[in-house]
Amino acid sequence: MPVESGSSASSRQAKQKRKSHSLSIRRTNSTEQERTGLQREMLEGQDSKLPLSLRSNLLDLFGQIEREFENLYIENIELRREIETLNDRLTAEGQTIDGGDLTKGALKAKASHSTSQLSQKLKTTYKASTSKIVSSFKATTSRAVCQLVKEYVGHRDGIWDLSVTRTQPVVLGTASADHSAMLWSIETGKCLLKYLGHAGSVNSIKFHPTEQMALTASGDQTAHIWRYTVQLPTPQPVADISQTPCDDDIDFSDKDEADGDGDGPNECPSIRVSSTTLRSHQGVVIAADWLVGGKQVVTASWDRAANLYDVETSELVHSLTGHDQELTHCCTHPTQRLVVTSSRDTTFRLWDFRDPSIHSVNVFQGHTDTVTSAVFTVGDNVVSGSDDRTVKVWDLKNMRSPIATIRTDSAVNRISVSVNQRIIALPHDNRQVRLFDMSGVRLARLPRSNRQGHRRMVCCSAWCEDNSSCNLFSCGFDRQAIGWNINIPVLLQEK
């Protein structure tokens, strides 16, 4: 009868153990569904502020991590048993005196190598599983210094939009639901001029590129063009806003209307008649902007159309139709005859008027909810923001997919991009204003506490490029506009 050699017996024993190990893994996997079901029931019974879908996703990911640890633990036990069995064989053969320690060390090295491979596999799996969670939480070291400089208070209702003049004197313009638009001294915070020509909420304000003219859009279904003349007051010492007491819990809609009756707003002169009135819309005019050169303007309305007008004759040149729902914003390119319109139908459209004989249109479906704004940059980019809590950066030369996507925790309102530094300012429904670069890296969040910052939804942001004390402005439903000084490090600008 043939005698089985020691090596073949050892091989058979190892195969049996591997088979037992695979069976144990199968038994572990067979109970996975039952355990997941119990965990989900426990999860639903717990109180948490996280959405159920996110909690369920986290549970699945951590379940995968737990299974990897279980497999590693079982394999480690099997390796230990194999080491002990081989050591027993070596001891029986009398090889432990001279080479036992070396053999044991070699076996340990082999086991350590195998464990290291499993550990690396575990790390890779864990990193891949959790990358979906942390992808939007990029490193936000202190890259930008943000300081509140001035508050502009005087409107009696929420402020929808604001803009800064492109010519001297440089002033700030605000458009409010109180049916008025105001011009402010940036340095002193005083109201310089009121425009009272609209019969409805003033939803947008934009300044002519070369002349002292303003374009406002209103809920009264019109857009007005009006001329202004202002004289800047002598700057006063800047007060320390951070030391001004403020109650964060005050409901500003219930405050006495006299709060807005400071010396500045009521004493400033007013204009009640426009120089040009544009009347072709059948719904609220939500936004308006000047085309390059300032001879034409475009308006966006809740009647689902955008209109292109000639400024000198007030005549309708083109009616831009195609959106399925109300428009939310329109913007013109700073150097080319391009217009972008955004809508509640989750799309934004690019209109090209560079060829006088034809005008083409391209539709982009990059969001899953209302596109609240889409703006051009000085380069060949479009930046779009949406109620789906994302902001996307597009290349005009290839609009098939965004070159960067910014994911946030709140709906995004009217965004703006700095011309010089190419920084995107995002105003949010949750009272925050965040700054990102064009690659989607977060730079800073503007301060918001019980002493400074917005106390309600932030509707709009606008950059000022003339190197004044304030280079970013924001406005919101707390009836105030705020001027900020944003200091971006030189290394970050070069990047």
Side-chain angles (χ1 to χ4, degrees):
M1 180 176 182
V3 179
E4 186 179 25
S5 65
S7 61
S8 62
S10 175
S11 175
R12 184 176 63 181
Q13 188 177 11
K15 289 181 180 179
Q16 290 176 350
K17 288 182 179 180
R18 285 195 294 270
K19 183 178 180 181
S20 174
H21 171 56
S22 64
L23 290 174
S24 67
I25 293 177
R26 290 195 189 99
R27 287 195 296 270
T28 302
N29 292 335
S30 66
T31 61
E32 177 185 342
Q33 295 180 352
E34 297 177 1
R35 178 170 55 188
T36 302
L38 292 174
Q39 289 175 335
R40 290 185 186 280
E41 292 177 1
M42 294 175 62
L43 185 66
E44 292 176 356
Q46 296 176 355
D47 293 330
S48 175
K49 295 182 180 180
L50 293 175
L52 183 59
S53 60
L54 178 57
R55 297 171 64 195
S56 177
N57 188 27
L58 287 172
L59 179 62
D60 292 338
L61 293 174
F62 285 118
Q64 295 177 24
I65 295 172
E66 181 182 3
R67 289 193 295 275
E68 289 291 335
F69 272 111
E70 287 179 354
N71 295 338
L72 179 61
Y73 178 75
I74 293 171
E75 191 153 351
N76 187 39
I77 291 176
E78 295 298 328
L79 287 171
R80 286 179 179 275
R81 289 177 181 173
E82 188 174 348
I83 291 171
E84 291 174 359
T85 301
L86 292 174
N87 278 335
D88 290 341
R89 285 184 54 218
L90 291 172
T91 302
E93 294 174 1
Q95 298 180 9
T96 57
I97 296 175
D98 296 330
D101 291 340
L102 295 175
T103 306
K104 186 175 180 180
L107 290 172
K108 284 186 176 180
K110 179 181 179 182
S112 175
H113 178 67
S114 177
T115 304
S116 175
Q117 289 180 333
L118 290 171
S119 176
Q120 184 63 34
K121 178 182 178 183
L122 176 61
K123 290 178 181 179
T124 304
T125 304
Y126 174 78
K127 184 177 180 180
S129 301
T130 56
S131 62
K132 296 179 181 179
I133 305 174
V134 301
S135 60
S136 61
F137 301 97
K138 299 182 180 179
T140 56
T141 55
S142 180
R143 300 187 177 188
V145 179
C146 311
Q147 182 182 6
L148 188 151
V149 178
K150 185 68 65 175
E151 293 178 341
Y152 305 88
V153 181
H155 281 292
R156 296 174 178 268
D157 208 337
I159 303 175
W160 289 113
D161 194 26
L162 79 172
S163 181
V164 180
T165 58
R166 307 182 216 180
T167 58
Q168 296 294 333
V170 178
V171 297
L172 173 69
T174 55
S176 172
D178 65 5
H179 299 192
S180 74
M182 290 187 180
L183 304 186
W184 306 82
S185 165
I186 292 177
E187 300 298 331
T188 65
K190 297 294 184 180
C191 176
L192 304 176
L193 182 68
K194 270 188 179 181
Y195 179 70
L196 304 173
H198 284 291
S201 169
V202 185
N203 302 319
S204 171
I205 181 169
K206 288 291 184 293
F207 292 101
H208 192 278
T210 58
E211 300 181 32
Q212 292 188 4
M213 292 194 297
L215 169 67
T216 50
S218 173
D220 61 11
Q221 303 184 5
T222 68
H224 290 182
I225 298 174
W226 43 278
R227 293 185 175 273
Y228 63 89
T229 302
V230 294
Q231 183 176 0
L232 296 181
T234 302
Q236 300 294 326
V238 178
D240 189 355
I241 300 288
S242 62
Q243 301 300 321
T244 304
C246 174
D247 187 356
D248 194 33
D249 297 327
I250 294 178
D251 185 351
F252 279 75
S253 64
D254 296 330
K255 289 184 68 177
D256 193 307
E257 294 293 342
D259 287 356
D261 294 344
D263 293 337
N266 277 346
E267 291 184 353
C268 69
S270 62
I271 300 176
R272 297 181 179 272
V273 179
S274 66
S275 57
T276 302
T277 301
L278 309 175
R279 302 179 179 274
S280 296
H281 284 292
Q282 303 301 315
V284 169
V285 183
I286 196 66
D289 202 358
W290 302 85
L291 263 72
V292 58
K295 295 182 179 180
Q296 292 179 324
V297 298
V298 61
T299 57
S301 172
W302 284 4
D303 63 9
R304 306 182 183 183
N307 288 343
L308 184 67
Y309 295 92
D310 182 271
V311 172
E312 185 177 352
T313 63
S314 305
E315 293 181 357
L316 177 64
V317 179
H318 290 293
S319 183
L320 313 180
T321 59
H323 281 290
D324 295 331
Q325 295 187 39
E326 295 91 339
L327 272 65
T328 57
H329 192 247
C330 65
C331 180
T332 60
H333 194 281
T335 60
Q336 302 182 59
R337 290 177 55 80
L338 297 173
V339 176
V340 62
T341 56
S342 53
S343 170
R344 291 184 60 188
D345 62 11
T346 74
T347 71
F348 64 94
R349 293 182 175 231
L350 179 64
W351 310 82
D352 189 346
F353 297 99
R354 288 176 292 187
D355 187 341
S357 60
I358 60 173
H359 65 275
S360 61
V361 58
N362 293 290
V363 183
F364 302 99
Q365 298 177 334
H367 294 279
T368 59
D369 205 339
T370 298
V371 182
T372 53
S373 65
V375 300
F376 291 102
T377 68
V378 172
D380 292 328
N381 295 114
V382 174
V383 184
S384 59
S386 171
D387 280 345
D388 65 7
R389 304 182 179 183
T390 66
V391 172
K392 299 190 177 185
V393 182
W394 309 79
D395 186 349
L396 276 174
K397 298 178 181 178
N398 183 10
M399 298 282 287
R400 295 178 182 177
S401 60
I403 59 177
T405 298
I406 301 169
R407 303 187 186 279
T408 68
D409 59 352
S410 180
V412 181
N413 296 312
R414 293 183 178 178
I415 59 180
S416 62
V417 182
S418 169
V419 174
N420 296 333
Q421 299 172 328
R422 292 174 61 81
I423 304 300
I424 310 170
L426 311 184
H428 290 287
D429 278 1
N430 65 359
R431 304 179 287 175
Q432 304 285 0
V433 180
R434 293 183 174 92
L435 305 180
F436 289 80
D437 66 14
M438 295 294 289
S439 62
V441 176
R442 178 174 160 181
L443 304 179
R445 182 185 69 183
L446 300 192
R448 194 196 66 78
S449 65
N450 62 340
R451 295 193 174 212
Q452 60 180 352
H454 288 285
R455 305 171 184 87
R456 289 194 174 179
M457 177 179 76
V458 188
C459 300
C460 181
S461 62
W463 290 90
C464 177
E465 310 290 348
D466 73 332
N467 298 321
S468 63
S469 60
C470 302
N471 54 4
L472 176 65
F473 298 89
S474 59
C475 64
F477 262 24
D478 53 5
R479 307 181 184 181
Q480 68 173 343
I482 298 178
W484 306 87
N485 180 262
I486 311 299
N487 184 14
I488 307 294
V490 175
L491 291 177
L492 182 59
Q493 295 182 35
E494 293 176 351
K495 178 181 176 182

